[in-house]
Amino acid sequence: MTTLKKRLKKTWLGKAIKKFLGRNRKAGAFKNSKSYWEDRYRSKDNSGAGSYGRLAEFKAEILNQFVANNGIKSVIEYGVGDGNQLSLASYPSYIGFDVSRTALSLCKKRFKHDTEKHFYMMSDPAQRSTTAELCLSLDVIYHLVEDEVFDSYMQRLFDTATKYVIVYSSNYDDHFAPHVKSRKFTPWVEKNRGNDFVLKEVVKNKYPFDANDPDNTSMADFYIYERRK
């Protein structure tokens, strides 16, 4: 860790970030990323501030406009969560995956009358080869704390996209909380899928992170990848 990062973690800003990311949760509560989210939803907690309020509205604005402007007919999201972000989406056809069975139950109940939305466990073997024109990863990558889980997730995210991948995430290396490991993921894409995808655009967050207002700001930006023709 650099001297700058060591100093940051001792400042009020560093403490605020750690508090926001949940570092003060009970010791020993974190087992692994999959268990963390299942336990979280089972305890009736939600997907987090990023899926609510003005952050959710900002994400929906960018995504709905992209889908409309590019004539997207099918969308897959890896990490649908409790479905609140999805409630703001305008997608012709949608499949949502998650590692939490409780989260998927919430989504199935919430969207039970929408025949264009379907939900499956990430581990469902019958769905591993399912593809879509656009694959989404929204506020997920920095929650994949295990390296092997991150690698497997990234492979599937890009391999099942026939036209575009949109990632909404931070893009630097740090580990502020047991369930949050920020990763500089763009080098992974360039190294492992650079022959297939090009980074078309980066859309900066309308509400960049502010330690004084953590529930309404975010460290994530949009990274839009297009499959090479």
Side-chain angles (χ1 to χ4, degrees):
M1 180 181 292
T2 65
T3 301
L4 178 60
K5 283 186 177 180
K6 288 181 179 179
R7 290 178 179 175
L8 172 63
K9 290 191 176 184
K10 294 180 180 180
T11 65
W12 67 271
L13 176 59
K15 291 177 181 178
I17 293 174
K18 286 188 285 185
K19 183 177 180 180
F20 169 65
L21 293 177
R23 190 140 204 184
N24 293 327
R25 291 175 181 270
K26 292 181 179 180
F30 184 83
K31 299 176 183 177
N32 55 60
S33 54
K34 180 179 179 180
S35 295
Y36 171 84
W37 288 101
E38 174 59 22
D39 292 344
R40 177 169 173 145
Y41 291 121
R42 191 181 295 168
S43 66
K44 302 189 183 305
D45 204 344
N46 61 34
S47 291
S51 296
Y52 288 80
R54 70 181 190 180
L55 287 172
E57 292 172 1
F58 163 67
K59 288 155 69 178
E61 176 185 349
I62 298 297
L63 294 170
N64 289 340
Q65 184 177 47
F66 183 89
V67 167
N69 290 349
N70 292 277
I72 300 299
K73 302 299 182 185
S74 57
V75 176
I76 286 177
E77 181 177 4
Y78 292 108
V80 59
D82 62 15
N84 194 70
Q85 183 68 58
L86 181 60
S87 69
L88 304 176
S90 296
Y91 305 147
S93 177
Y94 173 92
I95 295 177
F97 289 94
D98 208 280
V99 297
S100 169
R101 196 172 300 277
T102 299
L104 293 179
S105 295
L106 292 171
C107 289
K108 289 177 180 179
K109 182 178 180 179
R110 185 168 192 168
F111 301 102
K112 63 182 178 181
H113 299 301
D114 190 336
T115 59
E116 295 302 323
K117 290 182 174 62
H118 305 278
F119 304 95
Y120 302 98
M121 290 289 292
M122 283 286 291
S123 58
D124 188 336
Q127 300 298 325
R128 289 199 64 83
S129 60
T130 301
T131 62
E133 293 179 342
L134 169 63
C135 287
L136 302 175
S137 173
L138 310 177
D139 285 313
V140 172
I141 288 178
Y142 54 78
H143 288 302
L144 306 176
V145 299
E146 305 92 347
D147 291 345
E148 65 276 12
V149 173
F150 165 75
D151 190 70
S152 176
Y153 177 92
M154 294 295 286
Q155 290 182 45
R156 186 168 176 182
L157 175 67
F158 280 86
D159 291 349
T160 55
T162 62
K163 290 186 177 181
Y164 301 99
V165 170
I166 295 182
V167 175
Y168 179 79
S169 181
S170 55
N171 189 37
Y172 56 85
D173 293 321
D174 213 334
H175 199 165
F176 274 111
H179 68 294
V180 180
K181 184 177 182 178
S182 183
R183 298 174 182 270
K184 190 170 180 61
F185 70 89
T186 48
W188 186 99
V189 180
E190 184 176 352
K191 177 182 178 181
N192 295 281
R193 294 298 181 272
N195 291 333
D196 301 316
F197 285 87
V198 60
L199 181 58
K200 181 180 180 182
E201 184 180 5
V202 176
V203 179
K204 291 295 184 180
N205 205 302
K206 188 176 181 179
Y207 309 105
F209 185 73
D210 180 352
N212 293 314
D213 190 16
D215 287 338
N216 295 295
T217 58
S218 175
M219 298 172 288
D221 298 307
F222 280 105
Y223 296 81
I224 302 174
Y225 289 89
E226 182 176 18
R227 184 175 282 277
R228 297 182 188 274
K229 299 177 182 179

